[in-house]
Amino acid sequence: MRAAWEGIDPAKAWDSHTHLIGTGDAGSGITVNPRTESLLDPGQYARRLFFLNAGCVHDAAGSVDLAYVDRMRNLIDGMRPGVKMLLFAFERAYDERGEPDAEHTVFHIPNHYARDVAKKHPADFEWAASIHPYRRDALAELEQAKRDGARAVKWLPSAMGIDPASEKCDAFYQLLKKMDLPLIAHAGLERAVLGREAHDFGNPLRLRRALEAGVRVVVAHCASMGEDRDLDQGANGPYVESFSLFTRVFEKYPNAYGDISAMTQVNRAGPALARVIENQAWHARLLNGSDYPLPGVMPVFSVDYLVSLRMVQESAAPVLREIRAHNPLLFDFVLKRHLRSSGKAFSASVFETRAFFVR
Ligand SMILES: [Zn+2]
């Protein structure tokens, strides 16, 4: 564990990808689509339980939202002073005309809630706003978020119904660029959250419009899961690995970034993870994130699997397992610091992400 911190300044180590969730039971303004609580829709129901269990939150009335935040603060306590989590708000789905689409909104974590949690615990948290670019008040909301200290804007295009390649995003991109606020967008297959399920919107190539506009774009998980159409071979181009499309975009645009959150999950680790570790020239534009609460979910993050890939030394495995049982955040960090591929490791700079957000 000591070795994991060597060469890292904790004050610069921001976890750039964490999810703020809850049920809205403490006046947070969070809303959860009733479908997610109904057994008539077991998929949604399971996802919700999955998330709440991962954060060690139990279904006592009036306590879920607060317990979730307390739990995160506890985990940060187990890191070194200075470490912070960037909490993501989560926008509603909107339709093409910019009207809220309640039916397809899985849940809504309002910007004001993420802001308030971060303001209340400034030593532990920063926050990222989530704003749908089709909203009529999108630009005003973005300006407000910036004034309120948001460090980034977060989108999950497939769930929210955002086509990043649409001209409807242009004014939003211009303002992001002007304010020098980065956009963090999920790309590739997204299993954790369903919504509008417009999966094509997660195609990394669609983010080129934002990149061309000069926005700094962070592609979540380096699009390391799933397949998307190769749109450079036409609208009906063949499906290829989303990661290969990410690579194409990442290598072309100096303002393209990738976060390595969740890349150690069993359904993602492998060739993509090895490539981002081995390609040291990429590290200056890679950001560490935990995708909390996901590392708290046992089966998804498997130490044994990474040992089998020879990316983690067998001798480190028992310690990692032990850490995971106590502190999934620390586990995620120590694990990533121990990863090796062809003798290479992630550079310390990947973990020192603060400078990317504070400029
Ligand atoms: Zn995530």
Side-chain angles (χ1 to χ4, degrees):
M1 269 174 60
R2 252 202 312 275
W5 286 105
E6 246 162 53
I8 304 249
D9 177 356
K12 296 178 183 166
W14 285 12
D15 178 341
S16 72
H17 188 136
T18 71
H19 295 280
L20 179 62
I21 56 178
T23 59
D25 66 352
S28 59
I30 292 175
T31 52
V32 180
N33 190 321
R35 279 198 299 152
T36 61
E37 293 181 283
S38 162
L39 282 168
L40 293 173
D41 190 342
Q44 299 276 31
Y45 183 74
R47 279 182 181 88
R48 176 168 170 267
L49 279 186
F50 177 91
F51 268 116
L52 292 182
N53 285 338
C56 263
V57 168
H58 306 290
D59 257 324
S63 71
V64 177
D65 295 356
L66 296 174
Y68 187 82
V69 172
D70 280 351
R71 168 76 173 151
M72 284 192 293
R73 296 186 64 218
N74 245 310
L75 298 177
I76 292 178
D77 252 5
M79 308 289 280
R80 298 227 165 144
V83 172
K84 288 191 187 189
M85 295 165 89
L86 182 69
L87 303 175
F88 291 165
F90 194 91
E91 175 67 292
R92 284 177 279 221
Y94 280 74
D95 66 19
E96 293 287 308
R97 292 164 301 141
E99 299 289 345
D101 179 352
E103 196 200 328
H104 291 104
T105 296
V106 181
F107 52 78
H108 177 219
I109 314 291
N111 290 326
H112 64 77
Y113 180 56
R115 174 200 68 198
D116 290 350
V117 171
K119 281 216 166 124
K120 195 167 170 205
H121 309 289
D124 298 325
F125 305 125
E126 296 284 339
W127 73 287
S130 188
I131 301 165
H132 202 298
Y134 301 178
R135 277 170 63 164
R136 298 199 181 107
D137 61 348
L139 300 182
E141 184 74 13
L142 182 53
E143 272 168 348
Q144 184 63 46
K146 174 78 178 172
R147 278 197 295 276
D148 287 343
R151 300 293 189 179
V153 168
K154 168 68 197 321
W155 286 354
L156 179 41
S158 54
M160 295 169 181
I162 300 169
D163 177 4
S166 165
E167 62 188 15
K168 281 189 282 198
C169 301
D170 287 349
F172 197 82
Y173 292 151
Q174 275 158 30
L175 188 53
L176 280 175
K177 154 95 175 134
K178 188 173 145 220
M179 298 191 307
D180 195 21
L181 212 55
L183 173 66
I184 302 169
H186 272 260
L189 181 63
E190 175 59 56
R191 284 224 184 91
V193 182
L194 297 181
R196 289 184 63 95
E197 302 202 53
H199 172 57
D200 192 47
F201 289 173
N203 189 321
L205 298 182
R206 304 191 88 81
L207 291 167
R208 287 189 291 205
R209 196 174 186 99
L211 290 159
E212 292 283 352
V215 177
R216 288 185 295 150
V217 177
V218 181
V219 180
H221 324 307
C222 295
S224 55
M225 199 160 72
E227 297 188 329
D228 280 294
R229 282 190 191 280
D230 184 352
L231 300 172
D232 289 344
Q233 299 188 53
N236 290 319
Y239 280 97
V240 298
E241 300 251 313
S242 305
F243 180 71
S244 72
L245 301 177
F246 159 76
T247 304
R248 195 181 299 169
V249 167
F250 188 77
E251 294 198 318
K252 173 156 187 214
Y253 297 93
N255 50 329
Y257 296 76
D259 85 35
I260 61 165
S261 69
M263 289 191 75
T264 47
Q265 285 180 25
V266 288
N267 46 11
R268 294 179 189 270
L273 181 59
R275 279 202 58 199
V276 294
I277 293 173
E278 289 171 26
N279 209 331
Q280 309 263 306
W282 287 4
H283 291 185
R285 287 188 285 133
L286 293 182
L287 307 171
N288 179 48
S290 65
D291 211 8
Y292 184 83
L294 291 181
V297 183
M298 298 296 164
V300 179
F301 285 70
S302 164
V303 173
D304 297 332
Y305 178 65
L306 291 163
V307 169
S308 78
L309 293 176
R310 295 167 166 248
M311 297 181 94
V312 169
Q313 268 177 29
E314 194 149 13
S315 59
V319 182
L320 286 167
R321 274 189 222 104
E322 194 69 15
I323 298 174
R324 182 174 58 186
H326 294 284
N327 189 333
L329 215 53
L330 185 61
F331 162 70
D332 185 73
F333 175 73
V334 176
L335 172 68
K336 284 174 178 155
R337 291 289 286 153
H338 274 83
L339 287 177
R340 294 290 180 277
S341 188
S342 301
K344 301 223 169 70
F346 279 123
S347 312
S349 68
V350 174
F351 299 87
E352 297 182 333
T353 65
R354 184 181 184 275
F356 174 78
F357 296 102
V358 182
R359 310 213 298 177

